PDB file of all heavy atoms in Angstrom:
ATOM      1  N   TYR K   1      -4.577  -4.526  -4.786  1.00 93.00           N
ATOM      2  CA  TYR K   1      -3.265  -4.583  -5.439  1.00 93.00           C
ATOM      3  C   TYR K   1      -2.201  -5.109  -4.477  1.00 93.00           C
ATOM      4  O   TYR K   1      -1.303  -5.857  -4.874  1.00 93.00           O
ATOM      5  CB  TYR K   1      -2.857  -3.213  -5.964  1.00 93.00           C
ATOM      6  CG  TYR K   1      -1.540  -3.260  -6.713  1.00 93.00           C
ATOM      7  CD1 TYR K   1      -1.498  -3.708  -8.034  1.00 93.00           C
ATOM      8  CD2 TYR K   1      -0.341  -2.942  -6.081  1.00 93.00           C
ATOM      9  CE1 TYR K   1      -0.284  -3.811  -8.707  1.00 93.00           C
ATOM     10  CE2 TYR K   1       0.868  -3.043  -6.744  1.00 93.00           C
ATOM     11  CZ  TYR K   1       0.890  -3.479  -8.058  1.00 93.00           C
ATOM     12  OH  TYR K   1       2.090  -3.596  -8.711  1.00 93.00           O
ATOM     13  N   ASN K   2      -2.311  -4.718  -3.211  1.00 92.00           N
ATOM     14  CA  ASN K   2      -1.317  -5.112  -2.213  1.00 92.00           C
ATOM     15  C   ASN K   2      -1.680  -6.406  -1.480  1.00 92.00           C
ATOM     16  O   ASN K   2      -1.058  -6.745  -0.474  1.00 92.00           O
ATOM     17  CB  ASN K   2      -1.131  -3.980  -1.203  1.00 92.00           C
ATOM     18  CG  ASN K   2      -0.392  -2.793  -1.792  1.00 92.00           C
ATOM     19  OD1 ASN K   2       0.833  -2.751  -1.807  1.00 92.00           O
ATOM     20  ND2 ASN K   2      -1.147  -1.817  -2.280  1.00 92.00           N
ATOM     21  N   HIS K   3      -2.707  -7.103  -1.977  1.00 88.00           N
ATOM     22  CA  HIS K   3      -3.117  -8.377  -1.384  1.00 88.00           C
ATOM     23  C   HIS K   3      -3.533  -8.237   0.070  1.00 88.00           C
ATOM     24  O   HIS K   3      -3.309  -9.125   0.895  1.00 88.00           O
ATOM     25  CB  HIS K   3      -1.995  -9.418  -1.497  1.00 88.00           C
ATOM     26  CG  HIS K   3      -1.526  -9.653  -2.891  1.00 88.00           C
ATOM     27  ND1 HIS K   3      -0.194  -9.725  -3.219  1.00 88.00           N
ATOM     28  CD2 HIS K   3      -2.201  -9.800  -4.059  1.00 88.00           C
ATOM     29  CE1 HIS K   3      -0.068  -9.919  -4.522  1.00 88.00           C
ATOM     30  NE2 HIS K   3      -1.279  -9.977  -5.048  1.00 88.00           N
ATOM     31  N   ARG K   4      -4.172  -7.107   0.385  1.00 86.00           N
ATOM     32  CA  ARG K   4      -4.726  -6.906   1.720  1.00 86.00           C
ATOM     33  C   ARG K   4      -6.228  -6.739   1.552  1.00 86.00           C
ATOM     34  O   ARG K   4      -6.676  -6.001   0.672  1.00 86.00           O
ATOM     35  CB  ARG K   4      -4.189  -5.656   2.409  1.00 86.00           C
ATOM     36  CG  ARG K   4      -2.678  -5.491   2.621  1.00 86.00           C
ATOM     37  CD  ARG K   4      -1.882  -6.717   2.907  1.00 86.00           C
ATOM     38  NE  ARG K   4      -0.553  -6.386   3.413  1.00 86.00           N
ATOM     39  CZ  ARG K   4       0.543  -6.332   2.660  1.00 86.00           C
ATOM     40  NH1 ARG K   4       0.484  -6.545   1.365  1.00 86.00           N
ATOM     41  NH2 ARG K   4       1.714  -6.061   3.223  1.00 86.00           N
ATOM     42  N   PHE K   5      -7.005  -7.393   2.408  1.00 72.00           N
ATOM     43  CA  PHE K   5      -8.449  -7.357   2.249  1.00 72.00           C
ATOM     44  C   PHE K   5      -9.106  -6.991   3.568  1.00 72.00           C
ATOM     45  O   PHE K   5      -8.951  -7.690   4.559  1.00 72.00           O
ATOM     46  CB  PHE K   5      -8.964  -8.708   1.741  1.00 72.00           C
ATOM     47  CG  PHE K   5      -8.281  -9.138   0.475  1.00 72.00           C
ATOM     48  CD1 PHE K   5      -7.200  -9.997   0.502  1.00 72.00           C
ATOM     49  CD2 PHE K   5      -8.707  -8.642  -0.743  1.00 72.00           C
ATOM     50  CE1 PHE K   5      -6.555 -10.378  -0.661  1.00 72.00           C
ATOM     51  CE2 PHE K   5      -8.071  -9.019  -1.919  1.00 72.00           C
ATOM     52  CZ  PHE K   5      -6.998  -9.878  -1.883  1.00 72.00           C
ATOM     53  N   GLY K   6      -9.832  -5.882   3.571  1.00 59.00           N
ATOM     54  CA  GLY K   6     -10.469  -5.411   4.793  1.00 59.00           C
ATOM     55  C   GLY K   6      -9.568  -4.464   5.560  1.00 59.00           C
ATOM     56  O   GLY K   6      -8.338  -4.521   5.458  1.00 59.00           O
ATOM     57  N   SER K   7     -10.165  -3.592   6.337  1.00 53.00           N
ATOM     58  CA  SER K   7      -9.396  -2.550   7.021  1.00 53.00           C
ATOM     59  C   SER K   7      -8.449  -3.097   8.081  1.00 53.00           C
ATOM     60  O   SER K   7      -7.530  -2.421   8.518  1.00 53.00           O
ATOM     61  CB  SER K   7     -10.356  -1.535   7.656  1.00 53.00           C
ATOM     62  OG  SER K   7     -11.186  -2.180   8.603  1.00 53.00           O
ATOM     63  N   THR K   8      -8.667  -4.329   8.544  1.00 58.00           N
ATOM     64  CA  THR K   8      -7.804  -4.889   9.591  1.00 58.00           C
ATOM     65  C   THR K   8      -6.732  -5.814   9.034  1.00 58.00           C
ATOM     66  O   THR K   8      -5.976  -6.415   9.796  1.00 58.00           O
ATOM     67  CB  THR K   8      -8.652  -5.671  10.616  1.00 58.00           C
ATOM     68  OG1 THR K   8      -9.320  -6.758   9.949  1.00 58.00           O
ATOM     69  CG2 THR K   8      -9.683  -4.773  11.268  1.00 58.00           C
ATOM     70  N   ALA K   9      -6.659  -5.950   7.716  1.00 84.00           N
ATOM     71  CA  ALA K   9      -5.716  -6.898   7.112  1.00 84.00           C
ATOM     72  C   ALA K   9      -4.294  -6.355   7.076  1.00 84.00           C
ATOM     73  O   ALA K   9      -3.348  -7.117   6.920  1.00 84.00           O
ATOM     74  CB  ALA K   9      -6.160  -7.266   5.705  1.00 84.00           C
ATOM     75  N   ILE K  10      -4.119  -5.047   7.194  1.00 92.00           N
ATOM     76  CA  ILE K  10      -2.778  -4.474   7.153  1.00 92.00           C
ATOM     77  C   ILE K  10      -2.121  -4.585   8.521  1.00 92.00           C
ATOM     78  O   ILE K  10      -2.791  -4.638   9.545  1.00 92.00           O
ATOM     79  CB  ILE K  10      -2.818  -3.007   6.691  1.00 92.00           C
ATOM     80  CG1 ILE K  10      -3.747  -2.179   7.577  1.00 92.00           C
ATOM     81  CG2 ILE K  10      -3.253  -2.921   5.238  1.00 92.00           C
ATOM     82  CD1 ILE K  10      -3.773  -0.701   7.239  1.00 92.00           C
ATOM     83  N   GLN K  11      -0.783  -4.615   8.513  1.00 91.00           N
ATOM     84  CA  GLN K  11      -0.022  -4.748   9.745  1.00 91.00           C
ATOM     85  C   GLN K  11       1.033  -3.657   9.815  1.00 91.00           C
ATOM     86  O   GLN K  11       1.555  -3.222   8.777  1.00 91.00           O
ATOM     87  CB  GLN K  11       0.655  -6.119   9.813  1.00 91.00           C
ATOM     88  CG  GLN K  11      -0.292  -7.301   9.769  1.00 91.00           C
ATOM     89  CD  GLN K  11      -1.186  -7.383  10.982  1.00 91.00           C
ATOM     90  OE1 GLN K  11      -0.777  -7.000  12.082  1.00 91.00           O
ATOM     91  NE2 GLN K  11      -2.409  -7.870  10.802  1.00 91.00           N
ATOM     92  N   PRO K  12       1.376  -3.182  11.014  1.00 94.00           N
ATOM     93  CA  PRO K  12       2.446  -2.180  11.134  1.00 94.00           C
ATOM     94  C   PRO K  12       3.722  -2.668  10.454  1.00 94.00           C
ATOM     95  O   PRO K  12       4.114  -3.825  10.610  1.00 94.00           O
ATOM     96  CB  PRO K  12       2.640  -2.049  12.653  1.00 94.00           C
ATOM     97  CG  PRO K  12       1.298  -2.404  13.220  1.00 94.00           C
ATOM     98  CD  PRO K  12       0.772  -3.507  12.327  1.00 94.00           C
ATOM     99  N   GLY K  13       4.325  -1.791   9.693  1.00 92.00           N
ATOM    100  CA  GLY K  13       5.533  -2.149   8.961  1.00 92.00           C
ATOM    101  C   GLY K  13       5.285  -2.525   7.523  1.00 92.00           C
ATOM    102  O   GLY K  13       6.221  -2.542   6.706  1.00 92.00           O
ATOM    103  N   ASP K  14       4.033  -2.842   7.175  1.00 92.00           N
ATOM    104  CA  ASP K  14       3.713  -3.141   5.780  1.00 92.00           C
ATOM    105  C   ASP K  14       4.007  -1.921   4.911  1.00 92.00           C
ATOM    106  O   ASP K  14       3.689  -0.785   5.289  1.00 92.00           O
ATOM    107  CB  ASP K  14       2.227  -3.494   5.619  1.00 92.00           C
ATOM    108  CG  ASP K  14       1.890  -4.882   6.128  1.00 92.00           C
ATOM    109  OD1 ASP K  14       2.827  -5.641   6.435  1.00 92.00           O
ATOM    110  OD2 ASP K  14       0.687  -5.195   6.213  1.00 92.00           O
ATOM    111  N   VAL K  15       4.602  -2.152   3.749  1.00 92.00           N
ATOM    112  CA  VAL K  15       4.843  -1.071   2.801  1.00 92.00           C
ATOM    113  C   VAL K  15       3.861  -1.250   1.644  1.00 92.00           C
ATOM    114  O   VAL K  15       4.005  -2.168   0.827  1.00 92.00           O
ATOM    115  CB  VAL K  15       6.295  -1.087   2.284  1.00 92.00           C
ATOM    116  CG1 VAL K  15       6.507   0.044   1.278  1.00 92.00           C
ATOM    117  CG2 VAL K  15       7.277  -0.948   3.454  1.00 92.00           C
ATOM    118  N   LEU K  16       2.851  -0.403   1.592  1.00 95.00           N
ATOM    119  CA  LEU K  16       1.818  -0.498   0.566  1.00 95.00           C
ATOM    120  C   LEU K  16       2.221   0.281  -0.677  1.00 95.00           C
ATOM    121  O   LEU K  16       2.650   1.443  -0.581  1.00 95.00           O
ATOM    122  CB  LEU K  16       0.493   0.048   1.101  1.00 95.00           C
ATOM    123  CG  LEU K  16      -0.062  -0.593   2.377  1.00 95.00           C
ATOM    124  CD1 LEU K  16      -1.358   0.099   2.775  1.00 95.00           C
ATOM    125  CD2 LEU K  16      -0.279  -2.083   2.181  1.00 95.00           C
ATOM    126  N   VAL K  17       2.065  -0.353  -1.817  1.00 96.00           N
ATOM    127  CA  VAL K  17       2.316   0.335  -3.087  1.00 96.00           C
ATOM    128  C   VAL K  17       1.072   1.143  -3.441  1.00 96.00           C
ATOM    129  O   VAL K  17      -0.020   0.595  -3.582  1.00 96.00           O
ATOM    130  CB  VAL K  17       2.635  -0.668  -4.208  1.00 96.00           C
ATOM    131  CG1 VAL K  17       2.753   0.055  -5.553  1.00 96.00           C
ATOM    132  CG2 VAL K  17       3.918  -1.430  -3.899  1.00 96.00           C
ATOM    133  N   LEU K  18       1.236   2.447  -3.597  1.00 97.00           N
ATOM    134  CA  LEU K  18       0.133   3.321  -3.984  1.00 97.00           C
ATOM    135  C   LEU K  18       0.204   3.686  -5.467  1.00 97.00           C
ATOM    136  O   LEU K  18      -0.816   4.008  -6.070  1.00 97.00           O
ATOM    137  CB  LEU K  18       0.157   4.612  -3.152  1.00 97.00           C
ATOM    138  CG  LEU K  18       0.105   4.441  -1.633  1.00 97.00           C
ATOM    139  CD1 LEU K  18       0.125   5.810  -0.959  1.00 97.00           C
ATOM    140  CD2 LEU K  18      -1.127   3.651  -1.204  1.00 97.00           C
ATOM    141  N   ARG K  19       1.409   3.650  -6.019  1.00 97.00           N
ATOM    142  CA  ARG K  19       1.606   3.956  -7.443  1.00 97.00           C
ATOM    143  C   ARG K  19       2.302   2.756  -8.096  1.00 97.00           C
ATOM    144  O   ARG K  19       3.533   2.663  -8.106  1.00 97.00           O
ATOM    145  CB  ARG K  19       2.458   5.208  -7.620  1.00 97.00           C
ATOM    146  CG  ARG K  19       2.654   5.639  -9.091  1.00 97.00           C
ATOM    147  CD  ARG K  19       3.610   6.821  -9.195  1.00 97.00           C
ATOM    148  NE  ARG K  19       3.165   7.937  -8.387  1.00 97.00           N
ATOM    149  CZ  ARG K  19       2.273   8.835  -8.793  1.00 97.00           C
ATOM    150  NH1 ARG K  19       1.764   8.758 -10.004  1.00 97.00           N
ATOM    151  NH2 ARG K  19       1.910   9.819  -7.999  1.00 97.00           N
ATOM    152  N   PRO K  20       1.544   1.805  -8.640  1.00 96.00           N
ATOM    153  CA  PRO K  20       2.169   0.632  -9.259  1.00 96.00           C
ATOM    154  C   PRO K  20       3.033   1.011 -10.464  1.00 96.00           C
ATOM    155  O   PRO K  20       2.756   1.993 -11.164  1.00 96.00           O
ATOM    156  CB  PRO K  20       0.967  -0.211  -9.700  1.00 96.00           C
ATOM    157  CG  PRO K  20      -0.178   0.277  -8.875  1.00 96.00           C
ATOM    158  CD  PRO K  20       0.073   1.738  -8.661  1.00 96.00           C
ATOM    159  N   ASP K  21       4.058   0.223 -10.683  1.00 94.00           N
ATOM    160  CA  ASP K  21       4.891   0.347 -11.877  1.00 94.00           C
ATOM    161  C   ASP K  21       4.303  -0.596 -12.929  1.00 94.00           C
ATOM    162  O   ASP K  21       4.344  -1.810 -12.755  1.00 94.00           O
ATOM    163  CB  ASP K  21       6.325  -0.061 -11.538  1.00 94.00           C
ATOM    164  CG  ASP K  21       7.274   0.073 -12.710  1.00 94.00           C
ATOM    165  OD1 ASP K  21       6.797   0.188 -13.863  1.00 94.00           O
ATOM    166  OD2 ASP K  21       8.495   0.040 -12.484  1.00 94.00           O
ATOM    167  N   PRO K  22       3.746  -0.056 -14.038  1.00 91.00           N
ATOM    168  CA  PRO K  22       3.097  -0.913 -15.039  1.00 91.00           C
ATOM    169  C   PRO K  22       4.036  -1.927 -15.696  1.00 91.00           C
ATOM    170  O   PRO K  22       3.565  -2.869 -16.333  1.00 91.00           O
ATOM    171  CB  PRO K  22       2.576   0.099 -16.082  1.00 91.00           C
ATOM    172  CG  PRO K  22       2.445   1.380 -15.333  1.00 91.00           C
ATOM    173  CD  PRO K  22       3.590   1.376 -14.355  1.00 91.00           C
ATOM    174  N   SER K  23       5.346  -1.749 -15.527  1.00 90.00           N
ATOM    175  CA  SER K  23       6.287  -2.704 -16.119  1.00 90.00           C
ATOM    176  C   SER K  23       6.537  -3.899 -15.201  1.00 90.00           C
ATOM    177  O   SER K  23       7.222  -4.851 -15.588  1.00 90.00           O
ATOM    178  CB  SER K  23       7.625  -2.013 -16.424  1.00 90.00           C
ATOM    179  OG  SER K  23       8.298  -1.649 -15.223  1.00 90.00           O
ATOM    180  N   VAL K  24       5.975  -3.864 -13.995  1.00 92.00           N
ATOM    181  CA  VAL K  24       6.186  -4.934 -13.012  1.00 92.00           C
ATOM    182  C   VAL K  24       4.970  -5.852 -12.982  1.00 92.00           C
ATOM    183  O   VAL K  24       3.844  -5.386 -12.806  1.00 92.00           O
ATOM    184  CB  VAL K  24       6.425  -4.341 -11.611  1.00 92.00           C
ATOM    185  CG1 VAL K  24       6.512  -5.450 -10.569  1.00 92.00           C
ATOM    186  CG2 VAL K  24       7.700  -3.501 -11.602  1.00 92.00           C
ATOM    187  N   PRO K  25       5.156  -7.171 -13.149  1.00 90.00           N
ATOM    188  CA  PRO K  25       4.014  -8.096 -13.122  1.00 90.00           C
ATOM    189  C   PRO K  25       3.299  -8.073 -11.777  1.00 90.00           C
ATOM    190  O   PRO K  25       3.923  -7.887 -10.731  1.00 90.00           O
ATOM    191  CB  PRO K  25       4.660  -9.469 -13.371  1.00 90.00           C
ATOM    192  CG  PRO K  25       5.989  -9.182 -13.980  1.00 90.00           C
ATOM    193  CD  PRO K  25       6.431  -7.869 -13.400  1.00 90.00           C
ATOM    194  N   TRP K  26       1.979  -8.273 -11.820  1.00 90.00           N
ATOM    195  CA  TRP K  26       1.185  -8.397 -10.593  1.00 90.00           C
ATOM    196  C   TRP K  26       0.664  -9.816 -10.512  1.00 90.00           C
ATOM    197  O   TRP K  26       0.195 -10.379 -11.497  1.00 90.00           O
ATOM    198  CB  TRP K  26       0.017  -7.413 -10.623  1.00 90.00           C
ATOM    199  CG  TRP K  26      -0.875  -7.503  -9.415  1.00 90.00           C
ATOM    200  CD1 TRP K  26      -0.679  -6.887  -8.213  1.00 90.00           C
ATOM    201  CD2 TRP K  26      -2.094  -8.247  -9.282  1.00 90.00           C
ATOM    202  NE1 TRP K  26      -1.699  -7.193  -7.345  1.00 90.00           N
ATOM    203  CE2 TRP K  26      -2.584  -8.031  -7.975  1.00 90.00           C
ATOM    204  CE3 TRP K  26      -2.819  -9.075 -10.143  1.00 90.00           C
ATOM    205  CZ2 TRP K  26      -3.765  -8.602  -7.505  1.00 90.00           C
ATOM    206  CZ3 TRP K  26      -3.990  -9.653  -9.681  1.00 90.00           C
ATOM    207  CH2 TRP K  26      -4.453  -9.410  -8.383  1.00 90.00           C
ATOM    208  N   PHE K  27       0.743 -10.406  -9.310  1.00 84.00           N
ATOM    209  CA  PHE K  27       0.322 -11.787  -9.126  1.00 84.00           C
ATOM    210  C   PHE K  27      -0.936 -11.836  -8.268  1.00 84.00           C
ATOM    211  O   PHE K  27      -0.985 -11.258  -7.184  1.00 84.00           O
ATOM    212  CB  PHE K  27       1.429 -12.602  -8.455  1.00 84.00           C
ATOM    213  CG  PHE K  27       2.748 -12.522  -9.173  1.00 84.00           C
ATOM    214  CD1 PHE K  27       3.840 -11.905  -8.588  1.00 84.00           C
ATOM    215  CD2 PHE K  27       2.881 -13.040 -10.450  1.00 84.00           C
ATOM    216  CE1 PHE K  27       5.042 -11.820  -9.255  1.00 84.00           C
ATOM    217  CE2 PHE K  27       4.082 -12.963 -11.125  1.00 84.00           C
ATOM    218  CZ  PHE K  27       5.165 -12.352 -10.536  1.00 84.00           C
ATOM    219  N   ASP K  28      -1.934 -12.541  -8.758  1.00 83.00           N
ATOM    220  CA  ASP K  28      -3.167 -12.734  -8.007  1.00 83.00           C
ATOM    221  C   ASP K  28      -2.858 -13.515  -6.740  1.00 83.00           C
ATOM    222  O   ASP K  28      -2.154 -14.525  -6.769  1.00 83.00           O
ATOM    223  CB  ASP K  28      -4.179 -13.501  -8.866  1.00 83.00           C
ATOM    224  CG  ASP K  28      -5.577 -13.493  -8.270  1.00 83.00           C
ATOM    225  OD1 ASP K  28      -5.694 -13.664  -7.041  1.00 83.00           O
ATOM    226  OD2 ASP K  28      -6.537 -13.326  -9.025  1.00 83.00           O
ATOM    227  N   TYR K  29      -3.373 -13.064  -5.602  1.00 79.00           N
ATOM    228  CA  TYR K  29      -3.105 -13.713  -4.327  1.00 79.00           C
ATOM    229  C   TYR K  29      -3.810 -15.061  -4.218  1.00 79.00           C
ATOM    230  O   TYR K  29      -3.368 -15.946  -3.499  1.00 79.00           O
ATOM    231  CB  TYR K  29      -3.562 -12.806  -3.186  1.00 79.00           C
ATOM    232  CG  TYR K  29      -3.256 -13.329  -1.806  1.00 79.00           C
ATOM    233  CD1 TYR K  29      -1.957 -13.257  -1.296  1.00 79.00           C
ATOM    234  CD2 TYR K  29      -4.239 -13.890  -1.006  1.00 79.00           C
ATOM    235  CE1 TYR K  29      -1.667 -13.741  -0.031  1.00 79.00           C
ATOM    236  CE2 TYR K  29      -3.957 -14.366   0.268  1.00 79.00           C
ATOM    237  CZ  TYR K  29      -2.660 -14.291   0.744  1.00 79.00           C
ATOM    238  OH  TYR K  29      -2.371 -14.767   1.994  1.00 79.00           O
ATOM    239  N   SER K  30      -4.925 -15.226  -4.936  1.00 78.00           N
ATOM    240  CA  SER K  30      -5.714 -16.446  -4.799  1.00 78.00           C
ATOM    241  C   SER K  30      -5.112 -17.629  -5.538  1.00 78.00           C
ATOM    242  O   SER K  30      -5.100 -18.753  -5.036  1.00 78.00           O
ATOM    243  CB  SER K  30      -7.143 -16.214  -5.297  1.00 78.00           C
ATOM    244  OG  SER K  30      -7.781 -15.226  -4.530  1.00 78.00           O
ATOM    245  N   SER K  31      -4.620 -17.382  -6.754  1.00 80.00           N
ATOM    246  CA  SER K  31      -4.055 -18.469  -7.552  1.00 80.00           C
ATOM    247  C   SER K  31      -3.287 -17.868  -8.719  1.00 80.00           C
ATOM    248  O   SER K  31      -3.515 -16.721  -9.096  1.00 80.00           O
ATOM    249  CB  SER K  31      -5.163 -19.383  -8.091  1.00 80.00           C
ATOM    250  OG  SER K  31      -5.992 -18.678  -9.009  1.00 80.00           O
ATOM    251  N   PRO K  32      -2.358 -18.630  -9.318  1.00 80.00           N
ATOM    252  CA  PRO K  32      -1.650 -18.150 -10.497  1.00 80.00           C
ATOM    253  C   PRO K  32      -2.633 -17.870 -11.626  1.00 80.00           C
ATOM    254  O   PRO K  32      -3.722 -18.447 -11.688  1.00 80.00           O
ATOM    255  CB  PRO K  32      -0.710 -19.316 -10.854  1.00 80.00           C
ATOM    256  CG  PRO K  32      -0.598 -20.102  -9.607  1.00 80.00           C
ATOM    257  CD  PRO K  32      -1.909 -19.965  -8.911  1.00 80.00           C
TER     258      PRO K  32
END
């Protein structure tokens, strides 16, 4: 959901969404 893949993909300072808001669109990281 947060467009992070693998345990090393996250970086300090990243704010990960754990509870998505269903009213907010989600965009695929690979392509529209």
Side-chain angles (χ1 to χ4, degrees):
Y1 183 80
N2 288 274
H3 304 135
R4 302 325 194 263
F5 305 96
S7 61
T8 61
I10 56 176
Q11 300 294 327
D14 285 350
V15 179
L16 303 179
V17 174
L18 303 180
R19 183 185 304 276
D21 182 344
S23 68
V24 175
W26 178 84
F27 306 114
D28 192 318
Y29 184 76
S30 298
S31 65

